[in-house]
Amino acid sequence: METPIVFTKVCKKYDKAVAYAVDDFSLTINKGEFFCLVGPSGCGKSTVLKMIAGLTAPTSGQLVKPARVGMVFQSGAVLPWLTVEENVILPLKISGLSTEKAMKLSVEYTNMVGLTGFRHQYPRELSGGQRQRIGIARALVVETEVLLLDEPFSALDTLTTQEMHRDLLQIWRATGKTIVMVSHLLEEAIMLAGRIGIMGNGRLKSIVPAANADVGKIRRIMVE
Ligand code: ADP
């Protein structure tokens, strides 16, 4: 799949909503790229991600998207009554994969996110950053080409966030996945992404390369 995600004039209006959450949105995300969507709260970023994940459908326009994705949520969406390993293999169990294969994948991906040695512990015994690592391992274990992240580090402290940034970049390089991430922090987008999409009022206002990004100019576009 060369271009896993293509939006062409996509609009999304939720039932009973007055305004469009996403409006005339056109964007092609290339295979293997790290793309970050930024913009103020309520501008439609998560809705774009949910449409890629197939969690909600466009009202109009065309969307080419992968059949399956891995997704990391803000809270980590970790189930407290399951161990790290049980949380990680949950999607595999749901899809009916054998326990033996699921365990093998669990070892591989808990190692990749740095949770070696924590597999049999419960989320309450771990730090916030480690809990978010469970969420990342669970999104990786399904071995999809596309990984979606919805403000995954917003609940973490600065130092932990920096560690997670470094590790996420390492995972991206090691796996070659296409990553689409949503953030309200421009600095985070510049640090991680190759290209940044700036959203406002449901629209894609501009796409800028993160390398040598002019922060002042991007901020002006964001508030325009
Ligand atoms: P962001 O991720 O940028 O904060 P969202 O995509 O979550 O923005 O929301 C865009 C707009 O759509 C907001 O006005 C929000 O209130 C609205 N919205 C989001 N989800 C729903 C929903 N399930 N039903 C109705 N309106 C929604």
Side-chain angles (χ1 to χ4, degrees):
M1 199 197 297
E2 283 312 306
T3 45
I5 303 160
V6 185
F7 285 86
T8 310
K9 295 183 173 298
V10 166
C11 298
K12 171 70 189 183
K13 189 159 139 351
Y14 287 102
D15 290 346
K16 295 179 194 153
V18 199
Y20 278 86
V22 170
D23 191 5
D24 197 21
F25 188 95
S26 294
L27 169 70
T28 297
I29 297 175
N30 302 310
K31 183 177 160 63
E33 102 164 286
F34 196 138
F35 192 92
C36 193
L37 277 173
V38 297
S41 183
C43 74
K45 306 182 295 296
S46 294
T47 301
V48 169
L49 224 54
K50 282 182 198 152
M51 287 193 280
I52 301 172
L55 296 172
T56 191
T59 308
S60 62
Q62 279 94 49
L63 171 58
V64 176
K65 62 178 187 63
R68 290 162 67 245
V69 297
M71 189 155 180
V72 182
F73 299 92
Q74 190 173 342
S75 62
V78 167
L79 302 178
W81 58 89
L82 297 181
T83 64
V84 169
E85 180 156 80
E86 288 164 348
N87 265 288
V88 170
I89 64 171
L90 194 61
L92 302 178
K93 289 194 95 171
I94 292 169
S95 69
L97 197 75
S98 75
T99 307
E100 192 192 343
K101 279 188 186 155
M103 291 302 201
K104 200 164 160 274
L105 288 167
S106 154
V107 171
E108 180 178 346
Y109 290 105
T110 44
N111 287 348
M112 187 178 280
V113 301
L115 288 178
T116 311
F118 294 93
R119 290 213 311 281
H120 305 298
Q121 291 191 230
Y122 286 88
R124 65 171 177 276
E125 300 169 312
L126 306 182
S127 68
Q130 286 170 323
R131 279 199 290 274
Q132 193 53 300
R133 287 172 190 274
I134 302 174
I136 296 173
R138 195 175 45 200
L140 290 170
V141 84
V142 289
E143 300 199 307
T144 56
E145 190 190 320
V146 173
L147 183 63
L148 307 176
L149 300 109
D150 195 353
E151 307 226 14
F153 310 129
S154 57
L156 304 177
D157 62 72
T158 315
L159 262 180
T160 309
T161 300
Q162 282 171 1
E163 263 178 37
M164 301 291 283
H165 284 170
R166 194 194 54 214
D167 291 357
L168 179 61
L169 280 175
Q170 234 168 42
I171 290 169
W172 174 61
R173 289 190 192 110
T175 60
K177 283 184 194 293
T178 306
I179 295 187
V180 187
M181 180 169 149
V182 158
S183 177
H184 62 275
L185 297 174
L186 181 55
E187 293 73 15
E188 179 166 82
I190 291 172
M191 160 83 201
L192 294 173
R195 289 191 303 157
I196 303 168
I198 303 156
M199 284 191 73
N201 293 323
R203 288 180 171 258
L204 185 60
K205 292 169 135 188
S206 184
I207 299 173
V208 294
N212 308 313
D214 181 340
V215 178
K217 190 174 163 195
I218 298 176
R219 287 212 187 284
R220 281 195 294 281
I221 297 171
M222 282 173 87
V223 294
E224 261 167 22

